[in-house]
Amino acid sequence: MFNVNDIKNGMTILYEGNVYQVVEFQHVKPGKGSAFVRTKLKNLRTQTTQEITFNAGIKMEKANVEKRALSYLYNSGDTYVFMDNESYDQLELNKSQLKDEVKFLKEGLVVEVMNFNGEVIGVTLPEKVSYKVIETEMAVKGNTTSGAMKDATIETGYTLKVPLFIEEGEEIIVTTSDGKYSSRA
Protein backbone atom coordinates (compact mmCIF):
# COMPACT_ATOMS: atom_id res chain seq x y z
CA MET A 1 0.00 0.00 0.00
CA PHE A 2 1.14 3.53 -0.74
CA ASN A 3 -0.27 7.03 -0.43
CA VAL A 4 -1.88 8.44 -3.61
CA ASN A 5 0.33 11.54 -3.17
CA ASP A 6 3.35 9.33 -4.01
CA ILE A 7 1.96 8.31 -7.42
CA LYS A 8 4.38 8.47 -10.38
CA ASN A 9 4.18 8.04 -14.18
CA GLY A 10 4.62 4.41 -15.29
CA MET A 11 3.58 3.02 -11.90
CA THR A 12 1.13 0.08 -11.94
CA ILE A 13 -1.75 0.11 -9.45
CA LEU A 14 -4.75 -2.02 -8.51
CA TYR A 15 -8.03 -0.09 -8.51
CA GLU A 16 -11.51 -1.62 -8.42
CA GLY A 17 -10.13 -5.06 -9.32
CA ASN A 18 -8.33 -3.85 -12.46
CA VAL A 19 -4.64 -3.31 -13.17
CA TYR A 20 -3.82 0.21 -14.34
CA GLN A 21 -0.66 1.96 -15.45
CA VAL A 22 -0.32 5.66 -14.61
CA VAL A 23 0.01 7.65 -17.84
CA GLU A 24 -0.25 11.13 -16.30
CA PHE A 25 -0.94 12.61 -12.90
CA GLN A 26 -1.39 16.05 -11.44
CA HIS A 27 -1.57 17.14 -7.80
CA VAL A 28 -4.19 19.88 -7.41
CA LYS A 29 -4.55 22.05 -4.30
CA PRO A 30 -7.44 24.45 -4.85
CA GLY A 31 -7.87 27.62 -2.78
CA LYS A 32 -10.99 26.20 -1.15
CA GLY A 33 -11.54 22.57 -0.29
CA SER A 34 -9.17 19.67 0.05
CA ALA A 35 -6.36 18.68 -2.29
CA PHE A 36 -6.81 15.91 -4.85
CA VAL A 37 -4.86 13.97 -7.47
CA ARG A 38 -6.11 13.94 -11.07
CA THR A 39 -4.83 10.92 -13.02
CA LYS A 40 -4.98 9.43 -16.49
CA LEU A 41 -4.83 5.65 -16.15
CA LYS A 42 -4.45 2.93 -18.80
CA ASN A 43 -6.24 -0.34 -18.09
CA LEU A 44 -3.63 -2.98 -18.97
CA ARG A 45 -6.23 -5.68 -19.69
CA THR A 46 -8.48 -3.69 -22.04
CA GLN A 47 -5.89 -1.09 -23.22
CA THR A 48 -8.44 1.71 -22.61
CA THR A 49 -7.50 5.00 -20.96
CA GLN A 50 -9.64 6.84 -18.45
CA GLU A 51 -9.31 9.84 -16.17
CA ILE A 52 -9.89 9.24 -12.45
CA THR A 53 -9.66 11.75 -9.61
CA PHE A 54 -8.59 10.63 -6.12
CA ASN A 55 -8.80 12.59 -2.86
CA ALA A 56 -5.36 13.34 -1.41
CA GLY A 57 -4.16 11.05 1.34
CA ILE A 58 -6.04 7.87 0.39
CA LYS A 59 -4.19 4.56 0.27
CA MET A 60 -3.67 2.71 -3.03
CA GLU A 61 -2.49 -0.83 -3.70
CA LYS A 62 0.52 -1.28 -5.96
CA ALA A 63 0.23 -4.00 -8.64
CA ASN A 64 3.33 -6.17 -8.95
CA VAL A 65 3.61 -6.54 -12.70
CA GLU A 66 6.49 -8.70 -13.93
CA LYS A 67 8.05 -7.64 -17.24
CA ARG A 68 10.06 -10.04 -19.41
CA ALA A 69 11.82 -9.47 -22.72
CA LEU A 70 10.80 -12.15 -25.22
CA SER A 71 11.62 -12.68 -28.90
CA TYR A 72 8.83 -13.30 -31.40
CA LEU A 73 9.40 -16.60 -33.22
CA TYR A 74 6.41 -17.47 -35.43
CA ASN A 75 2.65 -17.80 -35.57
CA SER A 76 0.48 -20.81 -36.26
CA GLY A 77 -3.05 -19.68 -37.09
CA ASP A 78 -4.21 -17.48 -34.19
CA THR A 79 -1.40 -18.62 -31.87
CA TYR A 80 1.77 -16.52 -31.63
CA VAL A 81 4.92 -18.05 -30.13
CA PHE A 82 7.53 -16.07 -28.16
CA MET A 83 10.79 -17.24 -26.56
CA ASP A 84 12.67 -16.11 -23.47
CA ASN A 85 16.25 -15.43 -24.65
CA GLU A 86 17.78 -16.48 -21.31
CA SER A 87 15.87 -19.64 -20.33
CA TYR A 88 14.67 -20.57 -23.86
CA ASP A 89 11.17 -21.15 -22.47
CA GLN A 90 8.43 -20.61 -25.04
CA LEU A 91 5.19 -18.72 -24.45
CA GLU A 92 2.15 -19.03 -26.69
CA LEU A 93 -0.28 -16.11 -26.89
CA ASN A 94 -3.63 -15.94 -28.63
CA LYS A 95 -4.33 -13.25 -31.24
CA SER A 96 -6.97 -11.74 -28.89
CA GLN A 97 -4.29 -11.20 -26.20
CA LEU A 98 -2.07 -9.30 -28.65
CA LYS A 99 -4.74 -7.03 -30.20
CA ASP A 100 -3.21 -4.44 -32.61
CA GLU A 101 0.38 -5.49 -31.85
CA VAL A 102 -0.09 -8.37 -34.35
CA LYS A 103 0.28 -5.90 -37.25
CA PHE A 104 3.88 -5.16 -36.24
CA LEU A 105 5.26 -8.58 -35.25
CA LYS A 106 8.17 -9.84 -37.33
CA GLU A 107 10.53 -12.72 -36.69
CA GLY A 108 13.18 -11.92 -34.08
CA LEU A 109 11.48 -8.77 -32.76
CA VAL A 110 12.07 -8.39 -29.01
CA VAL A 111 8.94 -7.35 -27.11
CA GLU A 112 8.18 -6.78 -23.43
CA VAL A 113 5.51 -9.11 -22.02
CA MET A 114 3.76 -8.03 -18.79
CA ASN A 115 2.49 -10.67 -16.33
CA PHE A 116 0.23 -10.08 -13.33
CA ASN A 117 -0.32 -13.09 -11.04
CA GLY A 118 0.48 -15.49 -13.91
CA GLU A 119 -1.89 -13.75 -16.36
CA VAL A 120 -0.43 -12.06 -19.46
CA ILE A 121 -1.94 -8.57 -19.41
CA GLY A 122 -0.02 -6.87 -22.18
CA VAL A 123 2.70 -6.84 -24.78
CA THR A 124 4.76 -3.72 -25.36
CA LEU A 125 6.49 -3.29 -28.71
CA PRO A 126 9.60 -1.18 -29.27
CA GLU A 127 8.60 2.42 -30.09
CA LYS A 128 10.09 2.32 -33.59
CA VAL A 129 10.83 -0.73 -35.73
CA SER A 130 12.48 -1.15 -39.14
CA TYR A 131 10.48 -3.01 -41.82
CA LYS A 132 11.04 -3.87 -45.47
CA VAL A 133 8.52 -2.46 -47.98
CA ILE A 134 7.26 -5.39 -50.04
CA GLU A 135 4.70 -3.60 -52.20
CA THR A 136 3.99 0.01 -53.15
CA GLU A 137 2.75 1.99 -56.12
CA MET A 138 5.09 3.89 -58.39
CA ALA A 139 5.12 7.65 -57.91
CA VAL A 140 3.34 9.54 -60.71
CA LYS A 141 5.42 12.30 -62.28
CA GLY A 142 3.92 15.69 -61.57
CA ASN A 143 2.10 14.46 -58.47
CA THR A 144 4.57 16.20 -56.18
CA THR A 145 2.42 18.43 -54.04
CA SER A 146 4.04 18.92 -50.65
CA GLY A 147 3.36 16.05 -48.30
CA ALA A 148 1.99 13.71 -50.99
CA MET A 149 1.63 10.15 -49.71
CA LYS A 150 0.96 6.71 -51.18
CA ASP A 151 0.09 3.27 -49.78
CA ALA A 152 2.83 0.77 -48.97
CA THR A 153 2.65 -2.76 -47.57
CA ILE A 154 5.40 -3.85 -45.16
CA GLU A 155 6.69 -7.39 -44.57
CA THR A 156 4.07 -8.11 -41.86
CA GLY A 157 1.21 -7.39 -44.30
CA TYR A 158 0.31 -4.06 -42.68
CA THR A 159 -0.46 -1.19 -45.09
CA LEU A 160 0.42 2.41 -44.25
CA LYS A 161 0.94 5.78 -45.95
CA VAL A 162 4.50 6.65 -46.99
CA PRO A 163 6.06 9.54 -48.96
CA LEU A 164 6.22 9.20 -52.74
CA PHE A 165 10.00 8.62 -52.82
CA ILE A 166 9.76 5.28 -50.96
CA GLU A 167 10.16 2.27 -53.30
CA GLU A 168 9.73 -1.50 -53.01
CA GLY A 169 12.58 -3.25 -51.21
CA GLU A 170 13.51 -0.21 -49.09
CA GLU A 171 13.72 -0.36 -45.30
CA ILE A 172 11.53 2.14 -43.45
CA ILE A 173 11.03 2.89 -39.76
CA VAL A 174 7.46 2.69 -38.45
CA THR A 175 6.21 4.10 -35.15
CA THR A 176 4.35 1.17 -33.55
CA SER A 177 2.14 3.27 -31.26
CA ASP A 178 0.21 4.84 -34.17
CA GLY A 179 1.32 2.73 -37.16
CA LYS A 180 2.71 5.68 -39.10
CA TYR A 181 5.81 6.13 -41.24
CA SER A 182 8.68 7.73 -39.34
CA SER A 183 11.69 7.74 -41.68
CA ARG A 184 13.94 5.68 -43.92
CA ALA A 185 16.03 3.09 -42.13
Side-chain angles (χ1 to χ4, degrees), residues 111-126:
V111 299
E112 191 174 72
V113 177
M114 294 181 282
N115 285 312
F116 176 70
N117 294 340
E119 171 195 1
V120 174
I121 57 171
V123 175
T124 306
L125 298 170

Side-chain angles (χ1 to χ4, degrees), residues 112-173:
E112 191 174 72
V113 177
M114 294 181 282
N115 285 312
F116 176 70
N117 294 340
E119 171 195 1
V120 174
I121 57 171
V123 175
T124 306
L125 298 170
E127 187 178 329
K128 294 184 179 187
V129 181
S130 175
Y131 296 99
K132 185 174 184 176
V133 176
I134 58 167
E135 185 182 326
T136 188
E137 307 157 2
M138 293 298 293
V140 179
K141 190 173 183 178
N143 187 9
T144 56
T145 58
S146 64
M149 305 288 263
K150 63 181 180 179
D151 288 336
T153 304
I154 56 175
E155 59 193 288
T156 62
Y158 179 66
T159 302
L160 68 152
K161 296 281 188 190
V162 297
L164 295 176
F165 57 81
I166 299 295
E167 296 176 13
E168 285 183 22
E170 277 192 71
E171 291 274 330
I172 62 170
I173 296 176

